[in-house]
Amino acid sequence: MFTATSNFLKKSSAFYSITRNFSQIKIPLPEYQVHNFNIKDLPTETTTNKEELLEYYKDIAGLRRMEVTMDNLYKQREIRGFCHLYDGQEAICLGIEKACNLDDCLITAYRDHCQARVRGYSVHQIMAEMMGKKTGATKGKGGSMHFYRKAGNFYGGHGIVGAQTPMGVGLAFALKYKQKPNIAITMYGDGASNQGQLFEGANIAKLWNLPCIFICENNQFGMGTSNERASANTTYFKKLDMANVPGMLIDGHNVFAVREGMRFAKKYAIENGPVCIEMKTYRYHGHSMSDPGVTYRTREDVSNIRKTKDCVNYIK
């Protein structure tokens, strides 16, 4: 658990009818889709308890509040330059962390504030970095897109689309070389899914059976272009089949689905080699703060996702 301060616990609501006094409940999981896995090996339910739910709620609500605050500070010109917000996608990084630990390596693209948070930076360090202060995570020199924390095995934060994916394979190689029982979590967006370096990296990862989990965060749009207009194949969890990498599709709005799917994938990757996971999600803001996010979709589209699939409301 990481510490997050918020006042979100004043209200109580839930997707499931449960009493206030419970020790443990079973939660059905949305069905996974798989490619070259046996669907029967995937869990159909998980358990949680009141303490865990409160912990998860504090964590995910803290991530949401941090991103919304950044939005406000950017509009007040306290934050300058590039800024890509993660609100709507928080269940992914939180679910991953609940299934893994800080000995597992993580590398991602430039939508990286929440990953920096769950990997050990404080909200103060992150916000100070965003504002270019010397008290920031990297002393104000990295900014929004270049968070890095070796102590938490967090290797960025990369501004070049897809460039982090072969680096993730390198991290997986290091783990196998050192005979560590860990994985390299290699995250990228749907907009990077057609990059040649991704396929080159996947090929090496499979040849050497490296413990690399490729995670495609499919938030439906690569910048302002929808999946269907940009990619001939939109089943992202199957796209690394060219290297015989098995895959699975996970509901990225559901922190428990992410957690349990990652637990399965981690065990498999350590024993057998790479896995490709597509996390189906949605971003509420535009691609970056310079993108209003309403020219290629409607406000009603965003509002509908907020009402029906919001990951914070799910835990509430």
Side-chain angles (χ1 to χ4, degrees):
M1 174 182 171
F2 58 91
T3 304
T5 57
S6 70
N7 295 319
F8 280 83
L9 297 179
K10 293 180 179 179
K11 297 182 181 180
S12 177
S13 61
F15 276 65
Y16 300 95
S17 297
I18 56 179
T19 61
R20 288 182 178 273
N21 298 312
F22 62 89
S23 57
Q24 192 175 74
I25 58 169
K26 290 183 178 180
I27 297 179
L29 298 174
E31 185 176 356
Y32 298 100
Q33 293 184 41
V34 298
H35 177 63
N36 291 338
F37 280 125
N38 187 342
I39 190 65
K40 294 181 181 179
D41 293 335
L42 274 294
T44 58
E45 63 180 22
T46 188
T47 58
T48 189
N49 55 53
K50 184 176 181 179
E51 290 72 25
E52 184 177 76
L53 281 171
L54 287 172
E55 174 190 320
Y56 283 23
Y57 188 46
K58 288 179 181 178
D59 291 347
I60 202 167
L63 296 175
R64 174 66 55 83
R65 177 61 64 85
M66 182 177 73
E67 293 295 276
V68 172
T69 300
M70 286 182 191
D71 175 47
N72 294 330
L73 288 173
Y74 197 96
K75 291 171 181 175
Q76 295 168 18
R77 301 176 69 85
E78 294 291 339
I79 295 175
R80 304 293 186 93
F82 294 106
C83 180
H84 305 80
L85 298 180
Y86 200 68
D87 50 324
Q89 302 181 209
E90 299 95 338
I92 297 175
C93 72
L94 182 61
I96 288 171
E97 290 306 314
K98 298 304 182 182
C100 301
N101 57 61
L102 296 185
D103 291 326
D104 297 310
C105 300
L106 190 151
I107 191 168
T108 188
Y110 40 76
R111 204 179 300 276
D112 61 346
H113 315 143
C114 291
Q115 282 83 357
R117 179 73 182 105
V118 299
R119 282 279 152 158
Y121 278 126
S122 69
V123 173
H124 178 274
Q125 289 173 305
I126 293 170
M127 301 302 284
E129 183 64 31
M130 296 294 291
M131 291 187 279
K133 307 292 186 182
K134 65 179 181 181
T135 53
T138 53
K139 299 183 180 180
K141 298 177 181 179
S144 173
M145 299 197 293
H146 301 291
F147 283 93
Y148 173 92
R149 187 171 189 266
K150 193 175 188 304
N153 278 310
F154 177 49
Y155 297 93
H158 292 269
I160 305 300
V161 174
Q164 74 279 8
T165 55
M167 296 182 191
V169 175
L171 292 170
F173 175 79
L175 291 170
K176 186 167 185 175
Y177 184 82
K178 295 176 181 178
Q179 299 182 336
K180 292 187 176 181
N182 298 103
I183 57 173
I185 304 157
T186 305
M187 304 179 75
Y188 58 98
D190 50 278
S193 67
N194 295 311
Q195 288 282 319
Q197 53 202 333
L198 169 62
F199 297 102
E200 294 174 44
N203 185 60
I204 289 293
K206 184 59 179 177
L207 275 174
W208 296 341
N209 287 327
L210 303 179
C212 185
I213 299 184
F214 296 94
I215 296 180
C216 176
E217 295 184 279
N218 178 11
N219 62 20
Q220 316 300 312
F221 298 94
M223 296 186 72
T225 306
S226 66
N227 293 162
E228 294 74 19
R229 293 179 58 212
S231 184
N233 179 0
T234 58
T235 52
Y236 298 104
F237 67 103
K238 298 180 180 180
K239 291 194 78 164
L240 301 188
D241 183 63
M242 42 66 64
N244 294 321
V245 176
M248 56 194 296
L249 173 65
I250 297 178
D251 181 354
H253 300 282
N254 187 312
V255 68
F256 295 109
V258 175
R259 183 187 72 182
E260 298 306 315
M262 280 299 298
R263 284 175 175 171
F264 170 85
K266 178 177 178 178
K267 183 175 185 297
Y268 179 92
I270 291 172
E271 297 174 355
N272 302 288
V275 177
C276 179
I277 296 177
E278 175 186 349
M279 299 284 189
K280 198 71 172 288
T281 185
Y282 200 85
R283 57 172 162 79
Y284 294 156
H285 276 82
H287 171 73
S288 68
M289 289 302 295
S290 62
D291 169 22
V294 293
T295 57
Y296 48 87
R297 60 183 182 177
T298 67
R299 297 185 188 278
E300 288 72 25
D301 291 336
V302 180
S303 178
N304 182 59
I305 296 294
R306 285 184 182 274
K307 290 178 181 177
T308 60
K309 292 188 176 183
D310 184 74
C311 57
V312 178
N313 287 338
Y314 173 80
I315 296 181
K316 275 205 295 185

